[in-house]
Amino acid sequence: MLAKRWLISTFLISLVVFLVCTLPAALLVGSLPPVHLAGQPLQFSAAQGSVWNGKASLAWKQLSGTLSWQLDWREGYPGVAFRTLGAVPSSGWAAASAETLLVRELDVSLSAPMLRQFQPDLQLGGTILAKSVSFTFRDKHITDASGSLAYTGGDAKWRRDDAVVVPPLRGVIKQQPLGPEVVIEDDASTMMATAKIDNNIGALTVYRAWAVRLGLSQGGSADDVVFETSLPLWPE
C-alpha cells in the first residue's frame, strides 16, 4: 500500500513539474501588460517554445525583430538572459520583482537614423552603442550603474538647416550618490556634455566645446555651459 502511494505521489509530482516546465511561451506573451513607446504599442506575437526558454516576434511602428529568452538565476533572482535581433540588436540579463528591476550586461546597437521615429526634425547618421550597461532600479532610485556609451559619428541635420558632421563620441556611466552620470567626450577627450539622473530628475548639460565642433560658436571657453535642460523621468 505504501509503495502504491509512493508511486502515485511520484507520478503526480512528475506531472506537475512537467506541466510547469513546458508552459507555452504564448501564455507569457499573452499576459504581458501593454507597452507603449512614443505613443505607439510594442507588439508581441508568434510566440514559440516555453515560458522558460522561448522566443517571440516584436513589432513597433514600421520596425520588427525577434526576442529570445532563457531562464537564468543570478544574484539570487530568477531572471532571463535575452537577445533581440532585427531593427535594434541587443542582449543582456534582467530580473524584476514587485519593487526591484535589475539589468545586467546590456548591449544595444541603435542605428541613429531610427531616432526620427521619436524626433522627426532630426536627421542623424551613424550608430549609437551601449556596452555592458548595468543598473538596479529600487525604491524609485537607480543604483549600481555602470557601462559605456559610444556614437560612431556621422552627418546630422535639424529640419532644413545645413548638415554638419558630428564627431565620434564616447561616455562612461558612473554611479554618483544620487544616481548615474555619464560624461560625453570626443575622440580628443574634450568634454562635450554631461547627462545625469538625480533621484527621478534627468538632466542634460551641453558645453561650448560641442557647439564649436559643430561650427555653431567661436571664442569663449570650452567648458562654458551653452544649454541645460531637466525633466522628471518618473513619479517620485
Side-chain angles (χ1 to χ4, degrees):
M1 190 67 175
L2 289 176
K4 184 176 181 180
R5 290 179 178 176
W6 182 85
L7 288 174
I8 293 174
S9 299
T10 301
F11 170 76
L12 291 176
I13 292 173
S14 300
L15 178 61
V16 170
V17 171
F18 172 78
L19 292 175
V20 170
C21 290
T22 58
L23 285 172
L27 183 65
L28 172 65
V29 171
S31 64
L32 292 174
V35 177
H36 288 77
L37 298 175
Q40 296 294 320
L42 178 63
Q43 299 176 328
F44 300 86
S45 62
Q48 302 177 36
S50 71
V51 168
W52 319 108
N53 189 350
K55 65 179 182 179
S57 297
L58 298 175
W60 180 75
K61 288 190 174 183
Q62 290 80 34
L63 306 177
S64 61
T66 59
L67 166 68
S68 60
W69 67 88
Q70 183 174 7
L71 180 66
D72 184 8
W73 284 77
R74 298 187 193 180
E75 303 179 29
Y77 285 87
V80 291
F82 64 87
R83 180 180 299 274
T84 62
L85 299 175
V88 185
S90 68
S91 64
W93 179 88
S97 65
E99 299 179 352
T100 302
L101 169 66
L102 285 79
V103 174
R104 299 290 185 265
E105 300 174 9
L106 175 65
D107 292 337
V108 181
S109 177
L110 175 67
S111 175
M114 289 178 55
L115 294 178
R116 294 197 70 183
Q117 301 280 346
F118 301 93
Q119 178 48 263
D121 293 326
L122 175 65
Q123 299 180 45
L124 182 64
T127 303
I128 300 170
L129 303 169
K131 297 182 179 180
S132 300
V133 175
S134 299
F135 64 87
T136 299
F137 184 77
R138 180 183 291 119
D139 297 329
K140 298 184 178 181
H141 290 79
I142 294 178
T143 61
D144 307 322
S146 62
S148 64
L149 304 175
Y151 172 59
T152 60
D155 293 337
K157 186 176 181 180
W158 179 261
R159 295 180 180 173
R160 298 182 180 179
D161 295 341
D162 294 336
V164 297
V165 177
V166 180
L169 302 172
R170 63 174 182 263
V172 177
I173 301 171
K174 296 182 179 180
Q175 180 66 38
Q176 302 297 339
L178 297 180
E181 180 182 50
V182 56
V183 176
I184 301 168
E185 300 177 332
D186 67 0
D187 49 7
S189 299
T190 302
M191 185 170 61
M192 299 288 170
T194 58
K196 63 180 180 179
I197 300 176
D198 287 348
N199 295 322
N200 71 321
I201 303 298
L204 173 66
T205 302
V206 179
Y207 301 98
R208 187 176 301 279
W210 175 244
V212 171
R213 285 298 299 263
L214 298 181
L216 301 176
S217 177
Q218 295 181 354
S221 176
D223 57 2
D224 288 342
V225 175
V226 297
F227 177 77
E228 285 184 300
T229 186
S230 63
L231 74 162
L233 301 178
W234 57 80
E236 192 171 13

